[in-house]
Amino acid sequence: MTKPLVAIRSVSKSFGEFQALKNVSLDVWPGEVMCLIGASGSGKTTLLRCINQLTTIDAGGIWLDGELLGVREHGGRLHRLSEQQIGRQRLKTGMVFQRFNLFPHKTALENITEGPTQVQGRKADEVRAEALELLRRVGLAAKADSYPAQLSGGQQQRVAIARALAMKPMLMLFDEPTSALDPELVGEVLAVMKELAKSGMTMMVVTHELGFAREVADRVVYMDQGAIVEQGRASDVLGAPREERTKAFLSAVI
Amino acid sequence: MKPAPALAEGFPDLSGMRIAREPHWFRWLSAALIVLVLAAIARAFANGQIEWSYVGRFLTVKVILEGTVNTMVMAVLAMMLGIFLGIVVAIMRLSPNPVLKSVAAGYTWLFRGTPLILQLLLWFNLALVFPTIGIPGLWSARAVDVMTPFLAALLGLGINQGAYTSEVMRAGMLSVDVGQYEAAQAIGMGRLRALRRIVLPQAMRVVIPPLGNEFIGMVKATSLASVIQYPELLHNAENIYYANSRVIELLIVAGLWYLLVVSILTPLQMLLERRFARGTLRPAR
Amino acid sequence: MTRLSFSLAVATLAAVTSARAAELPAEIKQAGALKLTVNSTYAPMEYRDPATGELVGLDIDLANELAKRLGGLKIVWSETPFAELIPSLQTKRADFIISGIQDRSSRRETADFIDYLTTGPQFFVLTENTAKVATDLCGKKVGTTRSTAFPLEIEKWSKQNCEAAGKPAIQYVPGENSIDVRNQLKQGRIDAAVQGSETLPYAQTQETGKYRVIGEQLSTGYQGIMFRKDDAALREVVTEKLAAMIADGAYKAILDKWGLGANAVAQPMLNAASQ
């Protein structure tokens, strides 16, 4: 039996008084496209950020590609890993943010080549060739030398996706990738994500785009108040939800 | 589809009329008053007991020119030291390490909490506390031989400046959206690399205007080094009037040179601001 | 200065003071006070007592005695740096200056001096210094207050006594005031210092055994009370009172109090310095 790419076991996280994650457990399989849906504050973004350790968990464990994240076990206790080790673990994931977070002082091409050349120490010309290929893949080959301020929101987000892919991650994390976009620009980003899903990339997508979920997701997970309420095939969760809370959420959203 | 409704009566079409120019009486009046006041001041100075021939005579004398050059050299070097220290201390202040944080806070407190002239005097008279300085076993020297007026001025001005610059830098780094830092972390960058390649370059845009201001202040702060015998502009002007008693005339000479230097630096600062705004000032499509 | 010009000076002064009893200018009489500026970093002439912060010194005592004898006048003192003393006289911020200032011909363009104390720049070193005679200081670093005329004196002396004898010139090092100069001497930044000879006995009592005078005074001169040239009336009345103080021993008593009995003058003199 193959192992899950991501194994989340009994993870909890609080921000002061507020409990964002309550004892969450979940598996993500290689090649799977998973969509996480739910209201704001439901914990879906927090869960995503725990996987690439932008947020540290309070309890439980997350394994990525079989490796325990953020800590190591020794003598019955957990010891935090060093900053370098955590950085290395982060290389296995790529993240696309709601507000793109492109580096404004670098061109689109430079944004993409920054990680591979600086962090992975790869050769500049090799990286440049790959970066141009990625730009072509997201439909922005002509914008290689443009600065983020010269690009539309949709174009920026596509560059951001290329930037994440340049690190050759095994898992792509999307945190509400189209929420900050004007409606007419959402389609171009979803198109890139669909192509990525088709190519076999494992993806976890926090989104409100239920149409996208229905079309592309292998599994939909509905979260509410820090816990997983319901999960299953898109057609099941979105078309015929079992739980009352799921039904209430969907009727409010659609 | 319904036709557009007819417009209501009583609102005439003004599109053909032009807006008349306002006479701005008050502006003319106040301008005239200001010109009169300035003219009166100028006349008072012209008729005052100032021997303008001395001003002209000493304006380009060798020691004054040397003093101006020394002022500029010290301002630039001390500012560079101040910026370097400011960046280091700001990074320490934002570090998760409590030891580094406290050291940074202590440095800022100490050097912002004492007057600059006091710090200059302490550096210059260091040999009263440590007659010899050095690295045990490797090198030692008399403190007075090492602590020349130049070095005392550089250390005094630069280390003091660092305390102020570190606050400017810290504000600049905090002004960079935290998402930038997270995006850098997401592609595997460690804290220092992310600061160096992503946060600091963006902080520069916010930091240049106050740093430009600080530099202009530094040019004038160098005049304090006159009391520790650094031969900058004020010191040299003083030496001349100690000999010929022409106090006001020589102070005017020095003042004119300070004004000239600052007047040249101000537009240069604006050019620098524009360079660092690259990539952010261009309009989005 | 020549005996002839000295005698002339004394004679003129005697003639002037005996001709008529001098009158105190009206504004001062009306104000009931003298406005005086002083640079109080020059012990024992004028300085702040470290314990009480009070303004004390030989000049202060002389001024107080003069003010008493001028009809019980008060004195309003204001502090200035040394370089501001002469301007303060010119701008009438001060009625006259009694602040350890030397009578020099370069200063007589707009002012007159009533000389009241002998003085002169004097070399001194730390006691442990190996220099024995003044010419041992040729080629060495010598410091003094830069706002005085002493740097020029050092340069002149060095030309005459060092360079003329084929020795290297003295290297002049500037200082802000006499305390700064002594600090630099203690730290070893300079090998020797120059100060007015009247300040040295005091420095030696403050830090016994620390300093050693070396050689003769670079030049001899007088400390003078400085008056505006057009203020002859005030100058005469002050001279009269000073002469009286010398005659009845009050002057000598003050000088002895500060250890400067040896610097006394026999009479107050008008512009008697030859430099």
Side-chain angles (χ1 to χ4, degrees):
Chain A
M1 170 166 134
T2 49
K3 289 190 110 123
L5 185 58
V6 184
I8 300 168
R9 296 286 180 269
S10 315
V11 163
S12 298
K13 172 69 186 177
S14 297
F15 294 104
E17 293 292 308
F18 173 65
Q19 254 208 304
L21 293 173
K22 297 177 189 154
N23 211 358
V24 174
S25 298
L26 183 65
D27 284 338
V28 182
W29 297 92
E32 184 174 14
V33 176
M34 172 187 285
C35 281
L36 294 116
I37 62 172
S40 23
S42 59
K44 49 195 204 299
T45 295
T46 309
L47 188 63
L48 213 69
R49 288 167 59 95
C50 289
I51 296 175
N52 75 346
Q53 303 184 67
L54 288 181
T55 301
T56 40
I57 60 179
D58 293 335
I62 302 180
W63 284 257
L64 174 62
D65 192 28
E67 186 184 356
L68 182 60
L69 293 182
V71 289
R72 65 187 163 85
E73 234 186 294
H74 182 78
R77 298 171 64 156
L78 298 172
H79 302 266
R80 267 194 222 289
L81 294 178
S82 72
E83 206 196 337
Q84 278 129 304
Q85 290 166 315
I86 293 177
R88 202 186 30 83
Q89 287 181 335
R90 286 201 183 109
L91 290 176
K92 294 190 184 164
T93 57
M95 182 169 248
V96 177
F97 298 86
Q98 183 176 352
R99 278 153 62 219
F100 336 136
N101 290 337
L102 286 183
F103 306 134
H105 58 300
K106 294 182 181 297
T107 61
L109 190 67
E110 286 166 353
N111 262 274
I112 298 171
T113 58
E114 179 73 8
T117 46
Q118 293 299 314
V119 181
Q120 293 174 321
R122 294 175 52 199
K123 282 212 191 51
D125 22 334
E126 229 184 271
V127 171
R128 193 165 184 279
E130 278 184 24
L132 286 168
E133 176 54 34
L134 280 168
L135 276 174
R136 193 200 52 77
R137 192 169 154 194
V138 302
L140 290 170
K143 299 288 181 184
D145 295 321
S146 298
Y147 284 92
Q150 299 168 298
L151 302 174
S152 74
Q155 291 169 328
Q156 288 185 56
Q157 193 64 301
R158 286 187 274 154
V159 172
I161 295 174
R163 177 176 68 176
L165 290 173
M167 304 300 286
K168 302 202 175 69
M170 43 177 64
L171 168 67
M172 282 288 278
L173 305 168
F174 292 82
D175 181 9
E176 300 201 35
T178 56
S179 297
L181 293 176
D182 290 337
E184 68 270 20
L185 302 173
V186 168
E188 63 196 58
V189 174
L190 292 181
V192 169
M193 290 168 69
K194 285 181 202 169
E195 187 261 326
L196 194 59
K198 243 196 267 269
S199 71
M201 172 64 76
T202 315
M203 297 163 62
M204 289 176 74
V205 185
V206 170
T207 186
H208 297 300
E209 294 289 330
L210 299 183
F212 172 82
R214 210 190 311 266
E215 216 184 304
V216 182
D218 296 312
R219 189 157 34 133
V220 170
V221 174
Y222 169 63
M223 288 182 71
D224 185 37
Q225 292 174 45
I228 296 174
V229 174
E230 191 170 345
Q231 56 176 300
R233 288 199 315 217
S235 49
D236 293 336
V237 177
L238 299 175
R242 285 192 306 266
E243 300 291 326
E244 277 308 309
R245 282 191 281 166
T246 323
K247 287 188 197 155
F249 172 72
L250 288 172
S251 55
V253 163
I254 293 176
Chain B
M1 198 172 100
K2 293 213 313 252
L7 294 170
E9 293 292 313
F11 300 100
D13 176 4
L14 299 175
S15 57
M17 296 179 70
R18 289 193 333 185
I19 298 182
R21 297 236 274 158
E22 294 175 53
H24 291 302
W25 296 122
F26 184 68
R27 286 187 200 178
W28 286 108
L29 185 62
S30 46
L33 271 173
I34 289 172
V35 168
L36 277 173
V37 169
L38 287 175
I41 294 175
R43 193 158 155 277
F45 266 92
N47 293 341
Q49 289 183 321
I50 299 178
E51 290 284 348
W52 292 96
S53 62
Y54 279 94
V55 176
R57 195 192 318 172
F58 286 102
L59 195 57
T60 49
V61 120
K62 182 159 94 90
V63 286
I64 293 290
L65 295 175
E66 280 175 359
T68 309
V69 168
N70 284 340
T71 294
M72 287 314 303
V73 166
M74 180 54 65
V76 168
L77 292 176
M79 196 67 197
M80 280 165 58
L81 177 60
I83 290 176
F84 171 74
L85 284 174
I87 293 176
V88 168
V89 171
I91 291 178
M92 283 167 68
R93 189 71 181 272
L94 295 171
S95 156
N97 182 334
V99 175
L100 290 179
K101 241 200 202 112
S102 317
V103 170
Y107 162 84
T108 309
W109 169 78
L110 184 66
F111 288 97
R112 280 200 316 179
T114 47
L116 176 55
I117 191 165
L118 190 151
Q119 294 171 29
L120 285 169
L121 288 169
L122 283 174
W123 282 109
F124 187 59
N125 288 303
L126 196 68
L128 285 175
V129 181
F130 303 112
T132 24
I133 53 177
I135 306 161
L138 248 71
W139 159 83
S140 80
R142 291 196 321 157
V144 281
D145 294 331
V146 176
M147 197 56 72
T148 57
F150 174 83
L151 186 62
L154 180 61
L155 289 175
L157 289 164
I159 293 179
N160 176 271
Q161 181 63 45
Y164 291 92
T165 306
S166 75
E167 288 299 288
V168 171
M169 283 281 151
R170 196 166 65 94
M173 288 196 271
L174 290 175
S175 79
V176 176
D177 186 61
V178 71
Q180 287 295 305
Y181 184 54
E182 290 185 341
Q185 284 184 305
I187 56 174
M189 285 192 183
R191 206 178 76 87
L192 281 177
R193 203 201 299 265
L195 277 175
R196 184 167 56 91
R197 290 200 60 89
I198 305 301
V199 176
L200 270 177
Q202 294 184 59
M204 291 318 274
R205 187 171 63 88
V206 170
V207 142
I208 291 295
L211 280 191
N213 254 346
E214 298 272 322
F215 179 60
I216 288 172
M218 171 66 85
V219 169
K220 292 168 293 158
T222 55
S223 62
L224 289 173
S226 61
V227 304
I228 57 170
Q229 313 310 324
Y230 179 66
E232 44 73 55
L233 178 55
L234 181 67
H235 181 276
N236 290 5
E238 285 174 336
N239 281 347
I240 296 176
Y241 77 60
Y242 288 153
N244 68 10
S245 291
R246 293 282 163 198
V247 183
I248 299 293
E249 290 81 354
L250 267 303
L251 288 179
I252 290 177
V253 167
L256 287 172
W257 277 105
Y258 280 116
L259 267 175
L260 178 68
V261 167
V262 171
S263 307
I264 293 176
L265 288 176
T266 306
L268 283 179
Q269 177 201 336
M270 299 212 267
L271 280 175
L272 202 62
E273 271 180 53
R274 246 179 271 155
R275 189 212 170 267
F276 275 99
R278 171 185 66 149
T280 53
L281 277 187
R282 304 187 203 184
R285 278 212 289 110
Chain C
M1 88 179 285
T2 65
R3 293 176 71 93
L4 181 60
S5 49
F6 178 83
S7 320
L8 270 175
V10 174
T12 318
L13 203 55
V16 162
T17 48
S18 60
R20 53 187 159 87
E23 266 289 314
L24 198 60
E27 318 92 64
I28 298 180
K29 227 197 282 198
Q30 221 172 12
L34 285 169
K35 297 191 311 280
L36 298 180
T37 51
V38 71
N39 171 234
S40 60
T41 61
Y42 204 51
M45 303 296 285
E46 48 274 329
Y47 65 107
R48 295 250 160 219
D49 187 313
T52 62
E54 245 184 275
L55 190 60
V56 293
L58 186 149
D59 283 337
I60 311 301
D61 287 347
L62 283 177
N64 284 334
E65 184 62 30
L66 281 170
K68 209 162 53 168
R69 290 169 186 238
L70 284 168
L73 294 176
K74 286 210 304 266
I75 303 183
V76 178
W77 293 101
S78 30
E79 303 259 4
T80 67
F82 184 81
E84 302 292 313
L85 285 173
I86 299 177
S88 73
L89 183 68
Q90 292 164 344
T91 57
K92 302 205 177 156
R93 213 152 30 103
D95 294 318
F96 58 82
I97 312 268
I98 178 168
S99 184
I101 190 162
Q102 219 174 317
D103 175 5
R104 289 181 184 278
S105 47
S106 60
R107 293 173 175 157
R108 291 200 210 121
E109 214 189 324
T110 47
D112 285 324
F113 288 86
I114 295 298
D115 302 329
Y116 67 98
L117 197 74
T118 63
T119 181
Q122 173 69 58
F123 287 119
F124 64 102
V125 294
L126 292 175
T127 312
E128 56 266 23
N129 192 306
T130 51
K132 288 195 183 42
V133 290
T135 43
D136 286 345
L137 297 176
C138 293
K140 296 280 194 312
K141 300 203 205 96
V142 177
T144 191
T145 310
R146 67 184 172 112
S147 55
T148 63
F150 293 161
L152 270 168
E153 297 263 5
I154 295 176
E155 197 188 330
K156 230 180 358 180
W157 190 93
S158 172
K159 273 208 182 65
Q160 286 171 348
N161 298 279
C162 293
E163 291 158 79
K167 297 208 179 98
I170 289 182
Q171 292 177 54
Y172 156 64
V173 177
E176 281 308 285
N177 49 55
S178 47
I179 297 95
D180 181 31
V181 170
R182 284 203 290 273
N183 254 349
Q184 303 315 321
L185 186 63
K186 281 187 236 176
Q187 290 176 65
R189 214 177 230 119
I190 50 180
D191 304 302
V194 167
Q195 268 178 217
S197 59
E198 69 279 13
T199 62
L200 291 169
Y202 180 80
Q204 285 173 311
T205 53
Q206 287 299 97
E207 303 172 270
T208 11
K210 195 130 180 102
Y211 306 107
R212 180 164 53 87
V213 158
I214 184 169
E216 293 289 310
Q217 281 183 187
L218 279 74
S219 60
T220 39
Y222 299 100
Q223 301 284 32
I225 308 179
M226 205 172 166
F227 296 86
R228 286 182 291 277
K229 258 214 163 22
D230 56 13
D231 217 354
L234 179 61
R235 190 192 70 224
E236 281 160 25
V237 72
V238 169
T239 311
E240 195 185 290
K241 300 301 172 193
L242 184 58
M245 280 166 65
I246 295 177
D248 65 29
Y251 167 83
K252 192 77 179 9
I254 293 176
L255 262 60
D256 284 334
K257 171 181 170 198
W258 295 99
L260 291 175
N263 294 51
V265 294
Q267 310 259 17
M269 294 164 288
L270 175 63
N271 295 331
S274 56
Q275 313 158 303

